[in-house]
Amino acid sequence: MNAAHHLPVLAIVLPLVFAYLMPLFDRWRRGWCTPAALGVLAVSFVASLAMAWQVMTGGPYYYQMGNWPPPWGIELNIDYLAVFTAITMTGVSLVVLVYASKDLLHELKPHLLGWYYTLYLLLVASMVGMALTNDIFNLFVFVEICAIAACGIISIKSNKECLEASFKYLILSTLGSGCLLLAIALLYMVTGHLNFTYIAQALPEAMRLYPYNILAALALLLVGMGVKAALFPLHVWLPDAHSSAPSPSSAVLSGLVIKIYAVSLLRVLYQVFPADIFEVTPVLNILLWMSTLAIIAGSMFAIVQEDIKKMLAYSSVAQIGYVFMGFAIVDFFALTGGILHVFNHAMMKAMLFMAAGAFIYSTGVRHLSGLKGIGHTMPVPAVAFAIGALAMVGIPLTNGFISKWYLVLGALHDGQPFFAAVILLSSLLNGIYYLPIIVNAFFSEPQGRVAAPLPLPRQMQVPLIILGLGCLLFGIAPSLILGLIYRASEALLGL
Amino acid sequence: MEDLILRYVSRIVVPFVQLYGLYVVFHGHLSPGGGFSGGAIIGASMILYALAFNLAAGTKKISHDLSLILESSGGLIYAGVGLLAIFLGANFLGNMVAGFPLGTPGNLFSGGAIMLITLGVGIKVAATMITLFYSLIEEEQATDEHH
């Protein structure tokens, strides 16, 4: 037995195993829940880093489940994009879980903590699975696990808003799953394969024979993944779901869950569908305009919000637009920017939601105008919020600048300066709603509950500090992660 | 509610239903059905028992704690069989390559690890149905007492 060879499957299965163990720990050894959940996510994170090292030194490789070779068995594809996504998912979810271990004691009934960890570990396992899998039906299974677990971590608070929001999410994401399943069925019908590599080989021939089936599959795939990733006209479930959920859930839902669907769509569009289908149908153009609308409209909606978490949720609608824009401009730099933004936005938005959660934890204030002077009484979350907000706007020295820089570079390089202008305009819009909060936080006198907040536990401060430093680190030294992303984009574009 | 006919009939029917459920689970690799359908049948039999008598009688047969343990252990059996294959030197969920004895095709003892996996799935599904049922009923009783 050679553990290094089995890392991909361990990164998925160990969180799953501990998800099953959590209810038992919760019943008889409640003290073990938090360390066990943190430990297994740490193992998963280390496994992802080790896989990245393997891939960077030895090149991408495949892992066959049960030693069954590809057309029959399920295969995991450990390539550059997969390890990048796995690192993002496990790393950020580990940091968020540290925060959650204290925050949830205050937001949930105590007997629900173990069940929350179950859902959380299922969610992470499914996201790592979606990142690594090379089998389209396996992808669907992970999508389903992810959708159920995501609904669970919203509705676990069981007040009226959470239940309503998670029900809405459940219905719409089931609609998305239905579309996805139909798309998979259509692809399987015309190609006879479920493995990405084999579908990709069979599709050029099948496209000549059954063009409409494949176009329908493409459309269904776009809608299915679009609903789940909250791409602009399909985003209606997101603001309620992400603002009413417990803060750690919001952080992981906004930071990670919507991204994983975007990455899966990217993989299917670039690696499964033949490049000439994009000459027949303007799919990438549609995606480009939807993302443009998302960027502008998401920011517009965010400007008029009064509730801090609702504002952050609408900001996610805009930010997922950047990711899709990077994917839709077929250009090396834009794709790099889009993939990089998955990582950067995961850190920024998780940090912003956790900072907002810290404000709510200590003061109970959710209203933006009520947070004046919070920088004086709660410096750590306020500074973290400021770093996150500056990164959202795209100020140099923060990581948000780097990904926007690459997106603008890509748009100009591809000869579409209009989209570069869209990104610049949206940075201004981001400034309109983020900067006043920072100014109010640091340059006003604290009043009311803000003047005397409850002390913030250390477990809730450390994740904010880690992610804050991370945002600055990857803004100053982006090459730490860019090497991996360059290779991922090269592989996707076939350079 | 005391219903003599319902209680008598379910007392007779439940063992047969459970036996059939076990049959479906254990023949998962030979005939239609398997862990999920067999587990659902076993779970339904327990729900029928608890409905015909009452929750107290049902929990005397399988307590909420026991169903919780079974639910988790079903999933753990599945994952454990997969991980065992890794320890035996194959990939995750490896069957013959990991050295599980295959038996004679068509016999009950055939298919190697598949039978263990369907057993895990069966336990998981049956226990999940029972746990869900108990949770719903207990929630209902809690809110009734609350009002």
Side-chain angles (χ1 to χ4, degrees):
Chain A
M1 154 185 177
N2 174 14
H5 169 66
H6 297 289
L7 286 176
V9 81
L10 293 179
I12 303 170
V13 171
L14 289 182
L16 272 178
V17 168
F18 275 77
Y20 292 132
L21 284 173
M22 280 303 149
L24 300 182
F25 287 171
D26 180 57
R27 182 71 184 75
W28 286 281
R29 293 275 185 281
R30 191 162 284 176
W32 292 8
C33 284
T34 308
L38 286 172
V40 75
L41 278 188
V43 169
S44 207
F45 179 52
V46 171
S48 306
L49 288 178
M51 281 192 282
W53 188 78
Q54 286 172 340
V55 166
M56 288 304 275
T57 52
Y61 62 101
Y62 293 96
Y63 184 90
Q64 294 163 359
M65 290 284 193
N67 298 73
W68 293 104
W72 299 284
I74 294 170
E75 196 178 43
L76 300 181
N77 178 8
I78 300 90
D79 65 358
Y80 301 106
L81 182 64
V83 291
F84 161 77
T85 318
I87 289 175
T88 310
M89 299 300 148
T90 50
V92 175
S93 60
L94 174 64
V95 176
V96 173
L97 192 68
V98 176
Y99 174 94
S101 63
K102 264 284 178 277
D103 181 61
L104 289 172
L105 296 176
H106 152 90
E107 288 201 69
L108 295 182
K109 297 180 190 109
H111 69 278
L112 288 175
L113 194 63
W115 290 106
Y116 186 88
Y117 289 152
T118 300
L119 291 167
Y120 194 89
L121 292 176
L122 280 176
L123 189 71
V124 176
S126 68
M127 290 194 295
V128 179
M130 268 190 257
L132 295 181
T133 188
N134 198 36
D135 184 285
I136 202 164
F137 196 78
N138 197 227
L139 177 76
F140 175 74
V141 173
F142 283 126
V143 164
E144 282 294 88
I145 299 176
C146 189
I148 304 275
C151 275
I153 62 169
I154 299 169
S155 66
I156 197 158
K157 221 162 121 188
S158 68
N159 59 22
K160 193 164 157 271
E161 291 92 53
C162 285
L163 290 179
E164 192 190 326
S166 63
F167 191 65
K168 207 198 267 178
Y169 180 36
L170 186 68
I171 299 290
L172 282 170
S173 95
T174 311
L175 186 81
S177 298
C179 290
L180 199 57
L181 184 62
L182 202 52
I184 293 169
L186 284 170
L187 283 180
Y188 182 65
M189 198 169 94
V190 297
T191 62
H193 288 297
L194 291 171
N195 188 292
F196 283 165
T197 321
Y198 283 75
I199 298 178
Q201 278 171 10
L203 266 186
E205 168 74 8
M207 225 175 73
R208 211 170 43 76
L209 295 171
Y210 311 101
Y212 295 110
N213 291 31
I214 293 170
L215 287 182
L218 190 58
L220 287 165
L221 192 77
L222 202 64
V223 173
M225 286 300 193
V227 169
K228 284 168 176 288
L231 188 55
F232 169 63
L234 311 169
H235 71 285
V236 285
W237 57 268
L238 184 141
D240 288 344
H242 289 195
S243 63
S244 63
S247 302
S249 306
S250 313
V252 78
L253 289 170
S254 246
L256 301 177
V257 173
I258 53 175
K259 304 306 168 24
I260 189 70
Y261 295 119
V263 172
S264 302
L265 182 66
L266 168 74
R267 189 181 276 284
V268 176
L269 282 185
Y270 276 68
Q271 290 196 332
V272 175
F273 283 99
D276 32 316
I277 198 166
F278 302 123
E279 286 158 20
V280 185
T281 66
V283 165
L284 290 177
N285 249 328
I286 294 170
L287 212 54
L288 192 55
W289 283 102
M290 278 164 90
S291 61
T292 308
L293 282 174
I295 290 171
I296 302 296
S299 298
M300 298 274 214
F301 282 125
I303 290 171
V304 296
Q305 299 305 319
E306 296 286 324
D307 180 299
I308 184 165
K309 284 179 79 177
K310 208 144 210 171
M311 184 204 84
L312 293 175
Y314 272 111
S315 154
S316 284
V317 174
Q319 300 289 324
I320 198 76
Y322 288 119
V323 174
F324 275 109
M325 180 177 271
F327 295 170
I329 303 175
V330 188
D331 178 83
F332 175 73
F333 292 110
L335 192 57
T336 306
I339 299 174
L340 181 60
H341 204 62
V342 169
F343 176 72
N344 285 346
H345 182 248
M347 288 206 299
M348 303 189 257
K349 192 44 75 65
M351 182 168 73
L352 285 169
F353 264 117
M354 290 198 292
F359 296 151
I360 296 167
Y361 177 91
S362 294
T363 65
V365 177
R366 292 178 68 115
H367 215 262
L368 282 173
S369 55
L371 290 170
K372 282 185 180 140
I374 194 99
H376 299 285
T377 50
M378 296 181 67
V380 171
V383 168
F385 194 94
I387 293 173
L390 293 177
M392 284 285 170
V393 179
I395 307 287
L397 293 186
T398 59
N399 58 358
F401 171 71
I402 309 291
S403 36
K404 284 191 182 177
W405 172 258
Y406 272 94
L407 285 172
V408 171
L409 216 58
L412 293 178
H413 188 249
D414 197 46
Q416 309 202 54
F418 172 75
F419 297 104
V422 167
I423 292 169
L424 294 181
L425 174 67
S426 86
S427 294
L428 292 178
L429 290 175
N430 286 346
I432 291 176
Y433 59 91
Y434 276 117
L435 295 182
I437 304 172
I438 307 178
V439 173
N440 278 335
F442 288 99
F443 301 105
S444 305
E445 282 304 309
Q447 286 169 346
R449 277 182 291 180
V450 173
L454 293 174
L456 197 63
R458 206 174 293 136
Q459 285 99 318
M460 291 172 71
Q461 295 194 6
V462 170
L464 290 169
I465 295 169
I466 292 173
L467 287 182
L469 290 178
C471 283
L472 294 176
L473 176 68
F474 288 103
I476 295 163
S479 52
L480 290 174
I481 190 95
L482 270 176
L484 189 58
I485 297 172
Y486 276 154
R487 296 206 193 174
S489 324
E490 278 168 10
L492 285 170
L493 291 170
L495 294 177
Chain B
M1 189 185 69
E2 302 263 327
D3 189 333
L4 209 58
I5 301 175
L6 185 62
R7 286 188 172 188
Y8 250 92
V9 173
S10 48
R11 188 171 286 173
I12 297 166
V13 163
V14 161
F16 289 103
V17 174
Q18 288 180 341
L19 195 64
Y20 181 62
L22 286 173
Y23 176 86
V24 173
V25 170
F26 281 105
H27 287 73
H29 53 302
L30 296 174
S31 60
F36 188 87
S37 13
I41 295 169
I42 298 173
S45 76
M46 275 316 294
I47 292 177
L48 174 65
Y49 186 82
L51 277 176
F53 292 83
N54 51 36
L55 188 65
T59 47
K60 208 183 260 175
K61 297 281 178 199
I62 292 185
S63 68
H64 201 147
D65 281 352
L66 181 63
S67 70
L68 202 69
I69 295 173
L70 287 175
E71 189 188 350
S72 290
S73 58
L76 291 174
I77 289 174
Y78 197 142
V81 171
L83 292 173
L84 185 65
I86 291 185
F87 281 110
L88 293 173
N91 278 0
F92 184 73
L93 281 179
N95 193 352
M96 189 180 76
V97 277
F100 284 101
L102 280 191
T104 331
N107 276 7
L108 185 57
F109 292 100
S110 61
I114 300 293
M115 201 159 133
L116 291 173
I117 289 171
T118 36
L119 182 67
V121 175
I123 295 173
K124 168 89 185 152
V125 172
T128 303
M129 284 180 68
I130 297 166
T131 316
L132 272 178
F133 178 71
Y134 285 168
S135 300
L136 287 174
I137 298 281
E138 279 166 10
E139 187 110 325
E140 187 104 315
Q141 285 178 343
T143 44
D144 282 351
E145 281 160 20
H146 190 70
H147 286 299

